[in-house]
């Protein structure tokens, strides 16, 4: 191992990790909503970032091999994820059409525990999280020598931290737009559609 190969591995991990995480999905949609509301942003960002760090660590350590030899793990995660996504889609649709959606702020505040539980759900009950950070990234990391693959993992972890911090705390810049009640109806409607689409996609995959 040398400094140049380690740096190249870290940069590759940063780019690969961002390419997997920067997409509209259940986790990002929830972080965006909490960021706009300025509600429990730091705990939500921390849960997402540390969850990704854990998933990346397990993936680079060899979880990809486990899922290939025990596909039932992914099957269980798949149907649990479908159920969770549909439930969250229902709640988002309910907010979009409920009277509380007409108030600025997009409905009643949620407790810290509920926010963390939802964040854990959209992260750990999402099979795409395992596929992306554990299987795909784990397989990609396996092409590197043992010392360098952990620099790649560190780069991917840094990418996750940067993304969630930017998404959670940067979302407040959209606050003037979401001072209008109709904007919350649109956001929750879009979230409901995204969650339903992800659930259907998982069910058919």
């Amino acid at each position: 191992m040398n400094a140049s190969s380690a740096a190249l591995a870290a940069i590759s991990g940063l780019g690969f990790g961002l390419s997997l995480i920067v997409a509209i999905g259940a986790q990002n949609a929830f972080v965006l909503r909490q960021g706009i509301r300025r509600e429990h942003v730091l705990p939500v960002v921390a849960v997402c970032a540390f969850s990704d760090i854990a998933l990346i660590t397990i993936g680079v350590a060899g979880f990809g091999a486990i899922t290939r030899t025990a596909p039932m793990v992914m099957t269980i995660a798949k149907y649990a994820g479908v159920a969770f996504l549909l439930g969250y889609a229902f709640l988002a649709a309910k907010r979009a059409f409920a009277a509380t959606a007409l108030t600025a702020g997009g409905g009643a505040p949620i407790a810290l525990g509920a926010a963390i539980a939802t964040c854990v759900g959209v992260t750990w009950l999402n099979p795409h999280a395992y596929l992306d950070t554990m299987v795909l990234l784990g397989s990609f990391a396996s092409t590197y020598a043992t010392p360098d693959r952990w620099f790649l993992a560190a780069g991917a972890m840094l990418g996750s931290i940067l993304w969630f911090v930017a998404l959670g705390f940067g979302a407040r810049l959209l606050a003037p737009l979401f001072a209008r009640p109709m904007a919350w109806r649109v956001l929750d409607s879009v979230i409901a559609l995204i969650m339903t689409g992800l659930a259907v996609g998982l069910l058919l995959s």
Side-chain angles (χ1 to χ4, degrees):
M1 183 191 72
N2 55 58
S4 60
S5 67
L8 182 61
I11 293 171
S12 297
L14 176 64
F16 194 85
L18 286 173
S19 70
L20 294 176
I21 199 172
V22 181
I24 297 175
Q27 188 184 54
N28 286 341
F30 180 71
V31 175
L32 177 64
R33 188 174 194 279
Q34 293 304 112
I36 294 172
R37 291 169 61 94
R38 302 186 187 188
E39 188 177 71
H40 312 308
V41 179
L42 181 58
V44 166
V45 167
V47 169
C48 289
F50 283 114
S51 293
D52 257 21
I53 289 172
L55 290 167
I56 290 168
T57 300
I58 297 170
V60 173
F63 184 82
I66 297 176
T67 58
R68 287 192 292 271
T69 57
M72 184 59 68
V73 172
M74 291 300 291
T75 300
I76 294 172
K78 170 182 175 179
Y79 288 107
V82 167
F84 183 84
L85 289 171
L86 288 176
Y88 193 83
F90 172 76
L91 292 177
K94 185 178 178 180
R95 285 196 306 266
F97 292 101
T100 53
L102 294 175
T103 63
I110 61 174
L112 174 60
I116 291 176
T118 302
C119 191
V120 169
V122 296
T123 301
W124 292 91
L125 290 179
N126 179 9
H128 285 299
Y130 299 95
L131 177 63
D132 290 346
T133 57
M134 298 174 97
V135 179
L136 295 181
L137 184 60
S139 298
F140 182 61
S142 68
T143 64
Y144 285 74
T146 300
D148 286 345
R149 73 180 55 173
W150 289 107
F151 283 96
L152 182 144
M157 292 173 188
L158 176 61
S160 291
I161 293 171
L162 293 175
W163 169 250
F164 286 120
V165 168
L167 183 63
F169 291 99
R172 66 184 58 192
L173 298 176
L174 298 174
L177 172 63
F178 284 89
R180 296 162 48 185
M182 184 55 66
W184 285 102
R185 282 197 161 182
V186 172
L187 177 64
D188 280 323
S189 296
V190 170
I191 290 175
L193 290 173
I194 290 173
M195 302 300 179
T196 302
L198 289 171
V200 172
L202 283 177
L203 194 60
L204 297 178
S205 65

